Amino acid sequence: MADHAPGTSRADLVADTALALLAERGMRGLTHRAVDEAAGLPQGSTSNVARTPEALLELAVRRHAEREARVLGLHETPDPRAGLDSLADAMALAVHLSVTDHRDLPVARHELALEATRRPALRAFYDAEGAVFRGHLTALVTALGSTAPARHVLSLVAWADGLMFSCAAGSYNAEPPTLAEVRAGLRELLAGMFDGDATRPAGDATGTGTGTGG
């Protein structure tokens, strides 16, 4: 399992190990005993942090959201005044990192998403964490002049999720695209969303204007 920096909390160590096990072994390989062994912890340590399987999964979801937020740069939201290029650059870099340096994260997320379809409590927890990212993206595309923020966010999330799945676990796992290729695909998608004008800066509306209604 991955090394952890000094000072990492016991809860974070357990959660990171759980995510690594999910990516490596799937849901069947995630047990309290397996986390203890993989993390090099005394027997029963994981149970002290997350007593039930449901609690362990919720801990993993929360930690995954924290780590993915760092990869996606949610705390460094692009300036909408810079136009669509700013969003394209930021999202392309995040997606590319997810399928190269951090491909265990999309694999673990898909395992958690599938398990959430079978556990209503986990479903609610998983969706609440995902809503944070969608909220950031909705605010950004609205500021960029989207006339249908909800629909545009769904398209962007679906595009990113599909590309990450294909390159991390699907048929493109052996040949992920370059950063330039990811950006080109995203730029085409954004251009279609914003009236086909790929160079229009934020606030310079054409055609249907800059309304923010869905």
Side-chain angles (χ1 to χ4, degrees):
M1 296 299 161
D3 293 332
H4 293 270
T8 300
S9 71
R10 177 64 60 88
D12 285 348
L13 175 58
V14 167
D16 286 337
T17 304
L19 291 173
L21 286 171
L22 283 171
E24 179 183 323
R25 306 178 190 176
M27 192 60 62
R28 291 184 178 180
L30 179 61
T31 65
H32 286 72
R33 180 186 293 273
V35 173
D36 286 340
E37 293 175 352
L41 294 171
Q43 192 85 31
S45 297
T46 298
S47 293
N48 289 333
V49 173
R51 188 156 300 279
T52 65
E54 290 75 15
L56 181 58
L57 287 171
E58 290 181 3
L59 185 70
V61 169
R62 185 182 299 110
R63 181 62 169 169
H64 185 279
E66 293 172 358
R67 289 176 55 184
E68 193 168 62
R70 291 200 294 269
V71 175
L72 296 177
L74 292 189
H75 304 300
E76 300 173 0
T77 304
D79 186 347
R81 292 173 297 181
L84 298 183
D85 283 335
S86 179
L87 176 58
D89 289 343
M91 278 196 69
L93 178 59
V95 170
H96 187 256
L97 286 173
S98 293
V99 299
T100 52
D101 296 349
H102 302 279
R103 76 165 53 194
D104 59 317
L105 288 178
V107 174
R109 178 154 57 81
H110 282 288
E111 289 284 350
L112 290 167
L114 288 172
E115 189 64 16
T117 66
R118 308 175 189 107
R119 297 175 184 258
L122 183 64
R123 173 86 275 161
F125 196 82
Y126 181 95
D127 289 350
E129 293 291 345
V132 176
F133 171 69
R134 293 197 305 276
H136 280 276
L137 194 54
T138 298
L140 185 54
V141 299
T142 298
L144 283 165
S146 169
T147 58
R151 177 164 53 81
H152 287 165
V153 167
L154 173 59
S155 295
L156 285 168
V157 170
W159 176 88
D161 276 350
L163 191 148
M164 286 189 287
F165 176 81
S166 294
C167 296
S171 58
Y172 284 88
N173 72 92
E175 47 181 337
T178 65
L179 175 59
E181 289 170 337
V182 175
R183 188 188 184 284
L186 178 58
R187 203 64 182 80
E188 290 165 353
L189 179 61
L190 287 169
M193 288 179 179
F194 288 82
D195 304 323
D197 185 349
T199 61
R200 175 168 63 88
D204 181 15
T206 59
T208 57
T210 58
T212 58

